[in-house]
């Protein structure tokens, strides 16, 4: 697939505007793609907290860092970064990239024009005190040197923007960039209101985010004995672990950093899910939700049940009918639908 920001990121090296260090480079929010094929960039050490992208990097043969958002980063003379869309999260990532750059080294970033390229360029200039830029592929690639012009106080403040903090009166901790990070997503709230308190046995929450639906299950369903919290974004899963551990001493919790679309390895009595319908871009991806439904059907016990919330326009009815003997729409409100499916085929 086309990845213009990734292609633009390597322009300064392809055009020999910057040297490629013999020790390689640290690559934050790394993605595999055409620009990284062929072994042209030896020694690339990749950090990626999104499980599908992390697995793709490993399949492509790149060395990857363990996923722990609290871990300190190794220093390199060159640090590459693909900043995310959310402003505070992007500023934190640029600050971390510059902090991980050895003195005299370079940090290089690339952002699509319609994803906030000019703002990110200005942010790096504020941090580093110097900037160079090129434009191509409807993106900006910009770079700065780590030297005594860096604003160390601003670096520290912006690096802390990604720190977990209390939300919703202290009920949860969350961080910028996580889905619905500072609120309860209305679709999840609608699903929680419809869930019966009779769910029991071994249950899974697919695409759990920072843990809202899992917390509702633990607090309302006394018959649950084990709960698998499955989430592809490692930054969100770390929050879910903090938010859920200790809520129920009689429930076995398992936190799984996993790509649900590749299937599940266990069998469940019930599954709940507010599946994503975007990947790492803005375009709708109903195939992700369909893959969640297929994975749930394949993992449920013969008498198991799925509780799902989705935007009303998303085309899930065909796969629900193909994979479950009984499907009913329980509620529809504010553009969302709640589906209860039983008897997986």
């Amino acid at each position: 697939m086309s990845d213009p920001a990734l292609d633009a990121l390597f322009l300064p090296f392809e055009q020999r505007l910057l040297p490629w260090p013999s020790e390689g480079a640290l690559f934050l929010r790394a993605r595999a793609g055409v620009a990284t094929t062929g072994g042209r960039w030896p020694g690339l050490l990749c950090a990626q907290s999104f499980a599908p992208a992390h697995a793709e990097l490993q399949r492509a043969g790149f060395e990857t860092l363990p996923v722990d958002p609290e871990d300190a980063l190794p220093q390199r003379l060159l640090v590459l970064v693909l900043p995310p869309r959310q402003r505070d999260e992007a500023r934190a990532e640029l600050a971390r990239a510059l902090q991980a750059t050895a003195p005299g080294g370079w940090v290089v970033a690339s952002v699509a024009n319609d994803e906030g390229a000019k703002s990110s360029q200005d942010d790096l200039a504020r941090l580093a005190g110097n900037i160079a830029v090129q434009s191509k592929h409807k993106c900006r690639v910009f770079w700065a040197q780590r030297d005594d012009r860096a604003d160390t106080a601003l670096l520290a403040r912006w690096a802390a923007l990604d720190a977990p903090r209390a939300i919703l009166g202290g009920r949860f901790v969350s961080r910028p960039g996580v889905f619905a990070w500072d609120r309860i997503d209305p679709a999840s709230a609608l699903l929680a209101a419809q869930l019966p308190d009779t769910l029991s046995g071994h249950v899974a929450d697919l695409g759990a985010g920072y843990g809202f639906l899992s917390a509702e299950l633990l607090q309302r369903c006394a018959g649950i004995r084990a709960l698998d919290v499955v989430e592809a974004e490692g930054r969100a899963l770390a929050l879910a672990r903090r938010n859920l551990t200790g809520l129920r001493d009689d429930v076995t919790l398992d936190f799984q950093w996993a790509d649900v679309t590749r299937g599940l390895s266990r069998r469940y009595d019930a599954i709940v899910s507010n599946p994503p319908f975007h990947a790492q871009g803005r375009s709708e991806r109903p195939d992700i939700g369909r893959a969640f439904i297929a994975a749930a059907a394949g993992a449920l016990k013969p008498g198991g049940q799925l509780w799902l919330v989705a935007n009303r326009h998303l085309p899930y009815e065909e796969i629900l009918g193909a994979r479950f003997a009984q499907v009913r729409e329980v509620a529809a409100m504010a553009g969302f639908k709640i589906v209860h499916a039983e008897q997986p085929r």
Side-chain angles (χ1 to χ4, degrees), residues 132-175:
V133 61
Q134 276 195 324
S135 295
K136 195 169 183 180
H137 308 304
K138 297 183 180 180
C139 300
R140 292 186 186 216
V141 54
F142 42 96
W143 58 96
Q145 191 169 27
R146 176 71 187 270
D147 55 25
D148 56 10
R149 289 171 289 181
D151 188 334
T152 54
L154 188 62
L155 270 172
R157 289 201 303 273
W158 281 9
L161 290 175
D162 187 45
R165 78 284 307 268
I167 62 167
L168 301 172
R171 183 183 178 193
F172 299 104
V173 294
S174 189
R175 60 176 8 127

Side-chain angles (χ1 to χ4, degrees), residues 73-252:
L73 294 170
Q75 275 209 331
R76 293 290 188 273
L77 279 169
L78 175 62
V79 178
L80 310 175
V81 59
L82 294 170
R85 286 199 306 268
Q86 207 278 344
R87 188 69 183 276
D88 284 350
E89 183 188 10
R91 283 179 163 175
E93 201 70 358
L94 286 172
R96 292 176 73 235
L98 199 57
Q99 288 174 332
T101 305
W106 298 87
V107 57
V108 184
S110 177
V111 182
N113 292 337
D114 61 359
E115 299 283 353
K118 182 61 167 63
S119 295
S120 288
Q121 175 191 322
D122 292 343
D123 284 343
L124 182 57
R126 288 181 62 188
L127 288 171
N130 65 100
I131 200 79
V133 61
Q134 276 195 324
S135 295
K136 195 169 183 180
H137 308 304
K138 297 183 180 180
C139 300
R140 292 186 186 216
V141 54
F142 42 96
W143 58 96
Q145 191 169 27
R146 176 71 187 270
D147 55 25
D148 56 10
R149 289 171 289 181
D151 188 334
T152 54
L154 188 62
L155 270 172
R157 289 201 303 273
W158 281 9
L161 290 175
D162 187 45
R165 78 284 307 268
I167 62 167
L168 301 172
R171 183 183 178 193
F172 299 104
V173 294
S174 189
R175 60 176 8 127
V178 170
F179 174 69
W181 80 270
D182 58 352
R183 63 193 184 279
I184 295 173
D185 170 62
S188 295
L190 181 61
L191 177 56
Q194 299 295 327
L195 290 175
D197 59 12
T198 55
L199 295 180
S200 62
H202 197 166
V203 179
D205 178 3
L206 306 185
Y210 66 72
F212 166 71
L213 279 172
S214 289
E216 291 290 301
L217 288 167
L218 292 173
Q219 292 168 341
R220 293 168 49 187
C221 301
I224 292 177
R225 290 293 169 257
L227 177 63
D228 287 5
V229 183
V230 188
E231 170 58 44
E233 176 50 64
R235 299 170 65 255
L237 189 66
L239 297 167
R241 187 183 299 273
R242 292 179 60 170
N243 288 325
L244 301 174
T245 300
L247 282 185
R248 286 270 300 273
D249 292 337
D250 62 331
V251 174
T252 301

Side-chain angles (χ1 to χ4, degrees), residues 296-313:
L300 282 167
K301 297 175 183 177
Q305 53 184 309
L306 168 67
W307 288 83
L308 177 88
V309 63
N311 290 50
R312 284 196 61 80
H313 72 278

Side-chain angles (χ1 to χ4, degrees), residues 288-303:
I288 298 175
R290 289 192 288 264
F292 268 57
I293 292 166
L300 282 167
K301 297 175 183 177

Side-chain angles (χ1 to χ4, degrees), residues 1 6-7 10 14 27 31-42 44 56-57 59-62:
M1 295 179 64
L6 180 66
D7 294 340
F10 289 90
E14 292 172 348
F27 189 2
R31 300 195 292 264
V34 173
T36 57
T37 58
R40 289 176 290 171
W41 316 113
L44 204 57
E56 188 176 2
L57 287 163
R59 288 193 295 270
F62 292 107

